[in-house]
Amino acid sequence: MKILGNLIWWLFGGLEAALGYFTASLALAITIIGIPVALQTWKIGLLCLWPFGATVKSTKSPTGCVRIPLNIIWLLFGGLYAWLMHVFFGLLLFITIIGIPFAKQHFKMAELSLAPFGKDVTWQKQTA
């Protein structure tokens, strides 16, 4: 079922959104100072590519004092826009019964795009 959900997600804009995140990640990685942000946009792009079966969890990383300023900078320079877009599309999809599973995926991405530093994405293994 996760594979079917991901394929439908791809057909209706998920692949385009993932390519947008990957393009932004590549543009940020060209600059030396943008590499930490590029890693976060890459993480969101991967989640946007395979949202079904993925979970977002907070990590216990030793970079706790750096995480807060980086999340604030992230929020000011595009994170708020990404969060608003995912919440907007999640609310639009939540109106229909068929769109509720896809709305949940947008809300998952909204959570990650609000403050990506200090969070990790894990995927469940596919079982037959």
Side-chain angles (χ1 to χ4, degrees):
M1 197 61 161
K2 294 174 198 171
I3 294 173
L4 181 63
N6 284 325
L7 289 175
I8 293 170
W9 178 268
W10 280 11
L11 289 175
F12 292 103
L15 188 59
E16 290 178 35
L19 288 174
Y21 278 115
F22 293 148
T23 304
S25 182
L26 182 65
L28 286 165
I30 290 173
T31 66
I32 300 297
I33 199 164
I35 290 175
V37 180
L39 293 174
Q40 303 310 311
T41 55
W42 187 265
K43 185 188 327 180
I44 298 171
L46 286 176
L47 179 63
C48 203
L49 198 57
W50 298 101
F52 289 91
T55 56
V56 177
K57 295 182 181 179
S58 294
T59 60
K60 300 287 183 184
S61 65
T63 61
C65 62
V66 178
R67 183 182 333 167
I68 294 170
L70 287 175
N71 278 328
I72 291 171
I73 292 169
W74 170 271
L75 192 64
L76 294 174
F77 290 104
L80 185 62
Y81 175 75
W83 178 80
L84 284 172
M85 286 294 104
H86 285 298
V87 168
F88 174 74
F89 285 117
L91 289 174
L92 277 179
L93 286 167
F94 204 75
I95 293 171
T96 66
I97 293 173
I98 296 172
I100 290 175
F102 300 100
K104 288 181 181 180
Q105 305 311 313
H106 269 292
F107 292 142
K108 187 188 316 181
M109 283 181 253
E111 175 191 355
L112 184 62
S113 65
L114 190 60
F117 290 94
K119 292 185 181 164
D120 195 20
V121 179
T122 56
W123 284 269
Q124 299 168 355
K125 293 184 179 183
Q126 300 288 334
T127 58

